[in-house]
């Protein structure tokens, strides 16, 4: 990862390392990445920390990720850290809304994106009404297209396998975004992905991050 100048290769290698690290105890490598001068290395450290502590609720991992989310100079690192906190809290979703509530109102769109995706990951397939209410306003009216994208993806994750009458308002919104000629490409992209998530496996599959 350090020997290439191509950031896409660097990111791929770091994500691979994070996936290998899934379920592993904290290591000196993950800590050294968190403190690295290179922003992509810190980004990899965030994912490695999140994957290593996924589902454990580790307070040490949450503290490290929250520090990155609040203070890091790189928006990519901050976004990854927020999403990573949701992975650490998989299986304890009720702790996620309080953790990201203020981030949903942040001036930084990358933090808003991360907060929305954290809610989608934490509450996938639950149909949780209170969380859908948190997502609804940024999904429909955020000024930044990729934040609206995250809102649509998150809402669709939460509404997988829910009754059709519960999905109708989201489906109408997705169809409207796709059909609107001048809506931004990233928002349309999110709407198309969200439709695919809702209809996954003939509407007979669900995202399950805990087995």
């Amino acid at each position: 990862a350090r020997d290439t100048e191509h950031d896409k290769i660097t990111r791929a290698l770091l994500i691979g390392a994070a996936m290998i690290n899934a379920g592993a105890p904290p290591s000196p490598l993950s800590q050294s990445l968190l403190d690295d001068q290179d922003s992509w290395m810190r980004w990899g450290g965030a994912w490695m920390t999140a994957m290593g502590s996924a589902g454990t609720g580790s307070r040490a991992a949450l503290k490290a990720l929250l520090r990155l989310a609040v203070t890091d100079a790189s928006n990519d690192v901050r976004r990854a850290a927020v999403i990573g906190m949701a992975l650490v809290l998989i299986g304890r979703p009720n702790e996620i809304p309080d953790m990201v509530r203020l981030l949903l109102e942040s001036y930084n769109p990358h933090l808003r994106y991360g907060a929305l995706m954290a809610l989608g990951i934490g509450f996938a397939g639950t149909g949780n009404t209170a969380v859908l209410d948190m997502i609804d306003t940024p999904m429909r009216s955020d000024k930044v297209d990729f934040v609206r994208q995250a809102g649509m993806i998150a809402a669709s994750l939460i509404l997988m396998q829910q009754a059709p009458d519960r999905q109708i308002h989201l489906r109408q919104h997705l169809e409207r975004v796709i059909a609107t000629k001048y809506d931004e490409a990233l928002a349309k992209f999110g709407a198309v992905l969200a439709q695919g998530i809702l209809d996954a496996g003939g509407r007979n599959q669900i995202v399950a991050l805990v087995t």
Side-chain angles (χ1 to χ4, degrees):
R2 295 186 189 281
D3 288 343
T4 178
E5 295 180 2
H6 300 283
D7 60 4
K8 291 180 181 178
I9 295 175
T10 299
R11 294 202 302 271
L13 290 167
L14 290 168
I15 282 290
M19 296 178 76
I20 291 170
N21 199 56
S27 69
L29 174 59
S30 59
Q31 185 57 51
S32 67
L33 289 175
L34 291 176
D35 297 329
D36 202 280
Q37 293 296 311
D38 185 278
S39 63
W40 286 122
M41 294 297 164
R42 296 196 303 277
W43 178 87
W47 287 118
M48 188 172 287
T49 300
M51 292 293 287
S53 300
T56 66
S58 166
R59 296 299 151 184
L62 288 172
K63 184 177 179 181
L65 292 169
L66 184 60
R67 175 178 64 84
L68 287 180
V70 173
T71 65
D72 202 273
S74 166
N75 285 324
D76 295 291
V77 175
R78 299 178 79 178
R79 184 175 64 244
V82 176
I83 298 173
M85 288 191 288
L87 292 176
V88 175
L89 290 172
I90 283 292
R92 308 181 189 193
N94 291 332
E95 296 183 37
I96 298 175
D98 287 340
M99 182 183 70
V100 303
R101 197 179 305 275
L102 291 177
L103 298 179
L104 283 174
E105 301 173 3
S106 170
Y107 72 93
N108 188 319
H110 296 272
L111 290 180
R112 300 199 299 274
Y113 180 102
L116 289 165
M117 290 304 298
L119 291 169
I121 290 168
F123 288 88
T126 65
N128 189 292
T129 302
V131 174
L132 287 169
D133 288 343
M134 291 176 67
I135 289 173
D136 191 68
T137 298
M139 176 185 76
R140 295 178 186 275
S141 58
D142 197 281
K143 294 179 180 179
V144 179
D145 53 356
F146 67 82
V147 177
R148 298 199 301 277
Q149 175 196 99
M152 289 181 275
I153 294 172
S156 66
L157 285 169
I158 294 169
L159 285 170
M160 289 182 84
Q161 281 194 349
Q162 299 296 306
D165 61 322
R166 296 210 60 203
Q167 296 180 348
I168 188 168
H169 294 298
L170 175 61
R171 287 188 180 276
Q172 289 173 345
H173 176 67
L174 299 178
E175 290 168 3
R176 193 158 48 245
V177 171
I178 293 169
T180 302
K181 186 175 182 180
Y182 298 107
D183 211 335
E184 294 97 328
L186 287 179
K188 287 180 180 287
F189 180 65
V192 173
L193 277 178
Q195 280 194 333
I197 291 169
L198 286 174
D199 294 333
R203 304 182 187 178
N204 198 36
Q205 291 184 348
I206 198 166
V207 169
L209 295 177
V210 179
T211 64

